[in-house]
Structures are given as C-alpha cells and as structure tokens.
Amino acid sequence: MPVNNFKAIFTLLIFLIAEFLVIFPVYIPIPKRFSRSWKQEKRPINGLGDVDPVPQSYRIPLDFRTAPFIAVLLLLASECIHGAEVRKGIVGSDGVEPLNVMALFISLAYMVISVDNAGLLRFLAFWVACRSGTSGIRLYSSICTFFFVLGVIVGNDPVILSGVPFLAYFTRETGIDPPTAWIFAQFIIANIASAVLVSSNPTNLVLSGAFSISFFTYTAKIIVPVISATVFMLPLLLLIFRDPKFIPRRLTPITLSPRSVLVDPFGGIFGATILILTLCALVSTSFLHPQVYLVTVPPAVIVFLRDIVHDIRGYNARKHGSQCRADQEKTMGDTNPRSTSVFRDSGADIAHDTIADATILDYPEVESKHRQCDNENLATSIPAGDDRLTQGEISEKRIETQSSKLDTLRSMFPNVLIILRLMPFSLVVFSFSMFILVQGLAVTGWVDVWAGWWNQWVAHTGTVGSIFGMGLISCILCNVFGTNIGATILLARILQVWIQSRDPHPRIKDGAIYALALGSNYGAFTFSFPASLAGLLWKRLLMQKGIIVTMSQFARLNFIPVAVAMGVSSAVLIGQVYIIHR
C-alpha cells in the first residue's frame, strides 16, 4: 500500500507528535476568563481535622494520559481512520485482544496493590534485611535476590511501589549516602524479573496474545535467558558500585521489627494466597486458551469484596469507639471544646501501630491518606430561605457539603479508596489509544513498509541478526514510541505482518518474538524515565523521599547493565532457538 498520500503522512505525523508528548509532556494553563483558575481546596494541616484553604490552579495535561487519546480523535475527525479501526483497537484483531488483556492486567493489579496496601510486601523486605546480618555485600545480594523473586511473581510496578519507601528508610537508618547502588539495583532487577511471567508486565500480555503463546510456553522459553542475565547482573552491580560509600562492608542492623509494618496481616495473606492461586490457574489452563479474564476477574472481585467488608467493620468499630469516648466525656463533664475535637477527629479505631509505622517509615503519602480517611469534618448545610446569600456563597456551601459527603465515604472505605487511587486506570486509556493508533498506521500502509524493512534486515543477518537486531531496536524504541507498551504494540504488529507475508523459519520467528519480549522489559532501564511507566513511578516516588536522580545519571548508570543484560540474554536465546529448532 503506498504511503505517499495525505492520509498516510498525516497519520504518521499525528502518531509521532503523540509519542513526543508522551516523552516530553506539556501542561497548558487554563485562563481565568474561561474558568476559575483558583479554587479553594481544603487541605488538612494537622491531625485534628483543621483545614487550610489553598488556591489550586488548573492545567490541561498533554501527556501519556491524554495525548494518544487526542491523537485518535484527530485521526477520526480527519477520516484517516474509521470506526472499524477503533473497534479493532478495543475489541481486538489478528489474535490481539486489548479488552481481554486490560481486564487481566487490571484484575491482577488490584490484587497486587491490595496485598501491598496490607503491608505484606514491606514485611517481607524488612524480614529479608533483618535476616541478612551486618555484611553489606551479603545484604545487597539478599535484597537483589528478594526483588528478583518478588518481581517474577507480582511484576515490576509493585516492587517499585513498596521497594522505594523501604530503601529510603533502610539507607537513611544505616547511614548509606548516597543510596544510588540500592535504588538502581532495585529498578534494574525488577524490570529483568518482570520478563519471566506473562502476567508480570502488560508488554508480555500483548505478545502472548499477538502470537497465541500459552503462558507456560512463554515462561519456558524466556526463563533461561532471563536467569542468565540475572546471574551476570549481581556481580556487575557489585563491580560498578564497588566504592564502600555505595555498599558499606559493615552495616548497622535494622532495629525495626518486620511485624510492625504489617497493616492488615490477614488481608495480606488472604490476598497473596488468592493471587498465587490465580497465577497458577493462568499457567495451568493456558493450554486450553480460555478467555483470561474469566480466570482473573472473579478472584479480583473476591479480594475487592473482602476489602470492602474489612473497611466496613473497621468503620463500625471506629464509630462505636468514638461514641463511647463521647459518652465518657459527657459523663465526666468535660466541656473543653478542643478536647472534644481531639476525641472526635483523631481517630477512629484504625490501629495506632499503623499510623505510627507509616510515620516511622517516612511514608508521607500513606500518612496523608490515613489522615484524610480518619478526619470526619462536619457537614455545612445551606440555610434555607436565606436570600442574603450570594450565588458565589451558595456555590461554596454546596462544595463544602459535597466535600463532607466525600470525607464520610473516605472514612467508611479508607483502604479500598487508597487501592483504587493507586490503580493504573490511566494505563487502560493509554493502551487502547495506542492499539487504535497502530491500527491507523496499519491501514495507511506504514506497518507494511516497516515489515518490509525488517524482512530485508533478517534476509541479510539470519537468526543472529534477528535476535540482536530486535533486542536493540525494542530497547531504543521504548524511549521513542511512548514507553515500552507503545513500542511493543507497534513492533508486535510489524512482526505479525512480517510472519504472515514471509512465513520465516521457526528459528528466526521465535528468536525475533522472544527478543522483543526481552527488549520490551529491559528497555525500561535504558536512557529515559518515560521508557516505561515503571520509570515514571520510580522517579516520582524517589522525589517524594528527597532522592533526586537526573536523566543523565539514569542513562549513564543504566548503559552498562542494559548492554550486558541484553547481550547475555540474546546470546543464550540464540543457543536456545538453535537447540529447539534443529
């Protein structure tokens, strides 16, 4: 299909602009004449329910959440794509089922975040640290091993979500400054480990669906190259950070008990059990090729219902405790209004240990959420029949009433709302938009052109060139085409067209597919934070802990690890495909 026409050129241009905005987001301020640029937002200033009105400005973000979606709308408006491409980008085509993939991803994400919110992952991290003794190298090796095992099971995002606060506390208490060796080891190891299971990374889900690979087959063919890279990675990291200021030879033991970081022990064990059983069911039933959402959605609903019941019980207990304290005050004749406010707002019956641990571990975001959940602000009603109120005052009264209702909801379901707030819903819109944009590139002929270029490369380089070439291209494009998810969606479609049109040798075909699987995971630790959503999350959490990592430092310290990891895994993969396809 020719690409020297308006629709093809305009589609490619819009796609590239959208990817540019994903990497370099732009925020457009809203002028005051179009909306209220400053809005009074209630922000808690202490644990007593007092609030401080803070002006809040509004900006329109053009980033991974909005840019691809706007690009789809522009292509629809210009008739470069039609409803059929939108439907294929959501429901699926050519073996890729985006809706099924996202249902699987969101279901697993809820279970993992629920387990993390219960404190189980932090407990395991502290338990490993306490059992490793005072040897710095031994502790470093143990934590790397722990992050790898955890990353295989739950994926890279949960390891980053729980690991960054843990490492921030650990390095501060042990006097390790800077914590560079520890935070980079966590990020690198987590992204290597996420390549093992299909469920550990959305890119793996895209590939397994695009090429009809069962979960068991995928893991069986990828695990040896991944473990080989991991074996080389630990000595390499010890060599890179050989200076004792990065990894001290002797460390002060951690005094904090691992059990003290458990917020909801039963919830953590319950959720982890359901999660492990779900992963086992996915692997064992993958030969039957069922709709994977049928395997993952019901367990996620069970965990969700359990969290709701847990929150309701906690709310009733807190409400009963507050009432008892109020009755005691009345009986004792205590009329101090400030004291009453303290008893009413300070808390509820959320375990004191939980709040204390959140503070000790320097989790300001968790502490803030708990405070928001515990503060029960009195509702402000709008006086009936008061004609003296201006329209603005009435609007403010309504806002205060709505805020009071929201505070009540937060008090009733604190944990569920925290989990939902951490859910990667924005990734769903981004992924659907990317699937639709790639469909647009396909119908306008660009995917056919790039598949032809790839065929020319493979024809001249064979199996070795196929594996090393796809590994290199995928790592680079993770930094160019809107995170590793965008790069994987596009490259998977190119490989599909190449396979359908050229019917390559199974050795070359398998080599290219699994090299893409490796590159889409390893590409997260290459040159830029937007190479993966995990990188953006990692950077944001580090900044919250006062740890600054620049883009140049990120690229410089990742260059050797990603080169070694990709080189070792590719070499092992070459030998593997030659053995399997003799």
Side-chain angles (χ1 to χ4, degrees), residues 280-413:
C280 292
L282 282 172
V283 173
S284 59
T285 60
S286 61
F287 294 104
L288 305 175
H289 299 288
Q291 293 292 322
V292 290
Y293 76 91
L294 296 175
V295 181
T296 57
V297 172
V301 172
I302 293 174
V303 176
F304 175 69
L305 294 176
R306 187 267 162 195
D307 290 338
I308 289 179
V309 172
H310 173 73
D311 278 352
I312 291 176
R313 287 179 177 177
Y315 175 76
N316 292 334
R318 295 193 300 274
K319 188 175 180 181
H320 178 71
S322 298
Q323 183 63 41
C324 290
R325 286 191 292 270
D327 292 342
Q328 289 177 358
E329 286 181 3
K330 189 173 182 180
T331 303
M332 296 172 62
D334 186 356
T335 59
N336 186 341
R338 188 62 174 174
S339 175
T340 304
S341 175
V342 171
F343 276 110
R344 180 181 67 246
D345 295 326
S346 67
D349 216 2
I350 286 184
H352 178 269
D353 299 355
T354 302
I355 304 297
D357 293 338
T359 306
I360 290 173
L361 293 176
D362 191 23
Y363 298 144
E365 66 274 14
V366 176
E367 185 179 6
S368 173
K369 290 170 186 174
H370 278 298
R371 286 179 177 176
Q372 290 177 4
C373 295
D374 293 339
N375 294 334
E376 298 180 4
N377 299 321
L378 295 178
T380 304
S381 60
I382 301 176
D386 192 347
D387 298 333
R388 294 173 298 175
L389 290 178
T390 65
Q391 188 65 32
E393 290 173 336
I394 292 176
S395 299
E396 291 180 0
K397 294 290 185 181
R398 288 175 178 171
I399 291 174
E400 291 178 2
T401 303
Q402 294 172 357
S403 177
S404 177
K405 293 179 180 179
L406 183 59
D407 289 338
T408 302
L409 186 64
R410 289 171 176 167
S411 297
M412 290 184 65
F413 304 104

Side-chain angles (χ1 to χ4, degrees), residues 463-484:
T463 302
V464 175
S466 172
I467 293 175
F468 276 108
M470 182 53 68
L472 177 63
I473 292 173
S474 56
C475 282
I476 293 176
L477 292 189
C478 286
N479 298 269
V480 177
F481 282 161
T483 76
N484 53 356

Side-chain angles (χ1 to χ4, degrees), residues 21-22 25 62-68 426-427 429-430 483 533 536:
L21 292 173
V22 170
L62 294 178
D63 55 10
F64 78 93
R65 296 167 295 180
T66 57
S426 58
L427 180 60
V429 178
F430 169 75
T483 76
L533 295 180
L536 297 173

Side-chain angles (χ1 to χ4, degrees), residues 19 24-25 39 59 67 72 117 126-127 136 175 183 226 258 287 341 396 450 464 478 506 509 524 528 573 581:
E19 301 311 308
F24 302 104
K39 179 181 177 182
R59 299 183 300 172
V72 170
N117 187 62
F126 274 96
W127 183 83
I183 59 176
V226 171
F287 294 104
S341 175
E396 291 180 0
W450 295 331
V464 175
C478 286
K509 181 183 73 173
S528 64
L573 181 60
H581 304 287

